[in-house]
Amino acid sequence: MNTGSNESGEAVAMAADETGTSGVRSEQGLGSRAPEFIKARRVLHLSWQVGVFVVGLAVVVAGIIMLPLPGPGWVVIFGGMAIWATEFVWAQLVLRWTKRKVTEAAQRALDPKVRRRNIILTVLGLVIVAVLAGIYLWKFGLVMPWKIKDQ
Protein backbone atom coordinates (compact mmCIF):
# COMPACT_ATOMS: atom_id res chain seq x y z
CA MET A 1 0.00 0.00 0.00
CA ASN A 2 1.58 3.28 -1.08
CA THR A 3 0.65 6.12 1.26
CA GLY A 4 2.75 8.69 -0.56
CA SER A 5 5.01 9.33 2.43
CA ASN A 6 8.73 8.75 2.62
CA GLU A 7 8.54 7.34 6.13
CA SER A 8 9.28 3.68 6.69
CA GLY A 9 6.25 1.42 7.06
CA GLU A 10 4.93 3.48 9.99
CA ALA A 11 1.98 4.94 8.06
CA VAL A 12 1.15 1.54 6.62
CA ALA A 13 1.24 -0.05 10.08
CA MET A 14 -0.97 2.67 11.53
CA ALA A 15 -3.45 2.30 8.66
CA ALA A 16 -3.52 -1.46 9.17
CA ASP A 17 -4.06 -1.02 12.92
CA GLU A 18 -6.93 1.40 12.38
CA THR A 19 -8.70 -0.91 9.96
CA GLY A 20 -8.05 -3.88 12.23
CA THR A 21 -6.69 -6.06 9.41
CA SER A 22 -3.34 -6.77 11.06
CA GLY A 23 -2.76 -9.44 13.69
CA VAL A 24 -1.48 -6.80 16.12
CA ARG A 25 -3.94 -5.27 18.59
CA SER A 26 -5.56 -2.21 17.07
CA GLU A 27 -5.67 1.09 18.90
CA GLN A 28 -9.01 2.61 19.71
CA GLY A 29 -10.12 5.11 17.09
CA LEU A 30 -10.05 8.85 17.54
CA GLY A 31 -12.96 10.67 19.10
CA SER A 32 -15.02 10.88 22.24
CA ARG A 33 -15.09 7.98 24.68
CA ALA A 34 -18.13 9.30 26.51
CA PRO A 35 -20.94 6.79 27.18
CA GLU A 36 -23.52 6.49 24.40
CA PHE A 37 -26.38 7.99 26.42
CA ILE A 38 -24.26 11.13 26.93
CA LYS A 39 -23.28 11.33 23.25
CA ALA A 40 -26.94 11.06 22.25
CA ARG A 41 -27.86 14.32 24.02
CA ARG A 42 -26.04 17.37 22.65
CA VAL A 43 -26.30 19.54 25.79
CA LEU A 44 -25.22 16.70 28.04
CA HIS A 45 -22.30 15.86 25.74
CA LEU A 46 -21.20 19.49 25.64
CA SER A 47 -21.32 19.74 29.43
CA TRP A 48 -19.41 16.43 29.63
CA GLN A 49 -16.69 17.87 27.36
CA VAL A 50 -16.50 21.07 29.43
CA GLY A 51 -16.14 18.97 32.60
CA VAL A 52 -13.40 16.82 31.05
CA PHE A 53 -11.61 19.95 29.84
CA VAL A 54 -11.76 21.62 33.27
CA VAL A 55 -10.54 18.50 35.11
CA GLY A 56 -7.75 17.98 32.55
CA LEU A 57 -6.78 21.64 32.79
CA ALA A 58 -6.60 21.44 36.60
CA VAL A 59 -4.33 18.38 36.38
CA VAL A 60 -2.07 19.99 33.73
CA VAL A 61 -1.80 23.22 35.76
CA ALA A 62 -0.94 21.17 38.87
CA GLY A 63 1.78 19.44 36.83
CA ILE A 64 3.16 22.76 35.60
CA ILE A 65 3.27 24.00 39.19
CA MET A 66 5.12 20.81 40.18
CA LEU A 67 7.87 21.37 37.59
CA PRO A 68 9.90 23.77 39.79
CA LEU A 69 8.49 22.35 43.03
CA PRO A 70 8.92 18.84 44.41
CA GLY A 71 6.64 16.41 42.68
CA PRO A 72 6.27 14.39 39.49
CA GLY A 73 5.50 17.36 37.22
CA TRP A 74 5.85 15.72 33.81
CA VAL A 75 3.96 12.61 34.89
CA VAL A 76 1.06 14.76 36.09
CA ILE A 77 1.09 16.84 32.90
CA PHE A 78 0.88 13.69 30.78
CA GLY A 79 -1.88 12.44 33.07
CA GLY A 80 -3.84 15.62 32.32
CA MET A 81 -3.22 15.08 28.61
CA ALA A 82 -4.56 11.53 28.99
CA ILE A 83 -7.69 12.93 30.62
CA TRP A 84 -8.13 15.32 27.70
CA ALA A 85 -7.47 12.47 25.26
CA THR A 86 -10.61 10.69 26.47
CA GLU A 87 -12.63 13.42 24.80
CA PHE A 88 -10.59 15.51 22.35
CA VAL A 89 -8.97 14.34 19.11
CA TRP A 90 -6.14 16.90 19.28
CA ALA A 91 -5.08 15.54 22.69
CA GLN A 92 -5.24 11.97 21.37
CA LEU A 93 -2.94 12.92 18.50
CA VAL A 94 -0.51 14.72 20.83
CA LEU A 95 -0.48 11.73 23.18
CA ARG A 96 0.16 9.28 20.32
CA TRP A 97 3.00 11.49 19.02
CA THR A 98 4.49 11.69 22.53
CA LYS A 99 4.26 7.92 23.04
CA ARG A 100 5.95 7.33 19.69
CA LYS A 101 8.78 9.77 20.49
CA VAL A 102 9.33 8.29 23.96
CA THR A 103 9.45 4.78 22.49
CA GLU A 104 11.96 5.91 19.84
CA ALA A 105 14.11 7.60 22.51
CA ALA A 106 14.04 4.46 24.65
CA GLN A 107 15.14 2.35 21.69
CA ARG A 108 17.96 4.79 20.92
CA ALA A 109 19.04 4.78 24.58
CA LEU A 110 19.29 0.99 24.52
CA ASP A 111 21.64 1.11 21.52
CA PRO A 112 25.07 -0.11 22.77
CA LYS A 113 27.01 2.72 21.10
CA VAL A 114 24.73 5.37 22.60
CA ARG A 115 24.88 3.75 26.05
CA ARG A 116 28.69 3.64 25.88
CA ARG A 117 28.80 7.32 24.88
CA ASN A 118 26.42 8.29 27.70
CA ILE A 119 28.46 6.37 30.27
CA ILE A 120 31.68 8.02 29.06
CA LEU A 121 30.10 11.50 29.20
CA THR A 122 28.70 10.85 32.68
CA VAL A 123 32.06 9.67 34.01
CA LEU A 124 33.79 12.64 32.39
CA GLY A 125 31.29 15.04 33.98
CA LEU A 126 31.75 13.43 37.40
CA VAL A 127 35.55 13.69 37.08
CA ILE A 128 35.28 17.38 36.18
CA VAL A 129 32.98 18.05 39.17
CA ALA A 130 35.34 16.12 41.49
CA VAL A 131 38.37 18.08 40.25
CA LEU A 132 36.58 21.41 40.70
CA ALA A 133 35.44 20.42 44.21
CA GLY A 134 39.02 19.35 45.05
CA ILE A 135 40.43 22.67 43.81
CA TYR A 136 37.86 24.58 45.86
CA LEU A 137 38.62 22.58 49.01
CA TRP A 138 42.39 22.95 48.47
CA LYS A 139 42.10 26.72 47.99
CA PHE A 140 39.47 27.60 50.64
CA GLY A 141 39.35 24.57 52.91
CA LEU A 142 36.28 23.02 54.44
CA VAL A 143 34.57 25.96 56.13
CA MET A 144 30.84 25.75 56.61
CA PRO A 145 28.94 28.99 55.93
CA TRP A 146 27.32 28.99 59.38
CA LYS A 147 30.74 28.89 61.08
CA ILE A 148 32.05 32.06 59.47
CA LYS A 149 32.90 34.65 62.12
CA ASP A 150 31.25 38.06 61.93
CA GLN A 151 33.61 40.72 60.66
Side-chain angles (χ1 to χ4, degrees):
M1 176 169 138
N2 186 1
T3 60
S5 69
N6 291 333
E7 304 208 15
S8 61
E10 185 175 295
V12 174
M14 286 185 68
D17 280 347
E18 290 173 1
T19 59
T21 57
S22 70
V24 182
R25 79 170 170 85
S26 64
E27 291 186 31
Q28 191 171 8
L30 297 176
S32 175
R33 293 188 180 97
E36 289 302 321
F37 73 92
I38 291 177
K39 287 184 193 177
R41 294 162 183 83
R42 182 161 171 72
V43 175
L44 190 57
H45 191 228
L46 184 62
S47 61
W48 176 272
Q49 285 182 327
V50 168
V52 167
F53 182 78
V54 169
V55 169
L57 183 64
V59 172
V60 167
V61 167
I64 291 171
I65 290 171
M66 285 184 204
L67 287 176
L69 299 175
W74 285 110
V75 173
V76 174
I77 289 172
F78 290 126
M81 289 296 296
I83 291 171
W84 278 339
T86 63
E87 214 38 54
F88 303 107
V89 173
W90 61 267
Q92 292 170 1
L93 295 173
V94 168
L95 216 51
R96 283 184 184 179
W97 178 83
T98 304
K99 285 179 185 177
R100 189 174 69 245
K101 290 298 179 183
V102 166
T103 303
E104 290 172 5
Q107 291 301 321
R108 279 195 310 269
L110 293 176
D111 180 26
K113 288 197 290 190
V114 174
R115 286 187 61 167
R116 193 173 316 119
R117 182 198 66 200
N118 289 346
I119 290 171
I120 290 170
L121 288 175
T122 302
V123 168
L124 184 64
L126 289 173
V127 167
I128 290 172
V129 167
V131 166
L132 290 175
I135 291 172
Y136 177 83
L137 289 173
W138 174 68
K139 187 153 180 103
F140 299 107
L142 185 61
V143 177
M144 296 298 160
W146 51 86
K147 297 216 177 181
I148 296 176
K149 295 180 183 175
D150 294 330
Q151 296 180 1

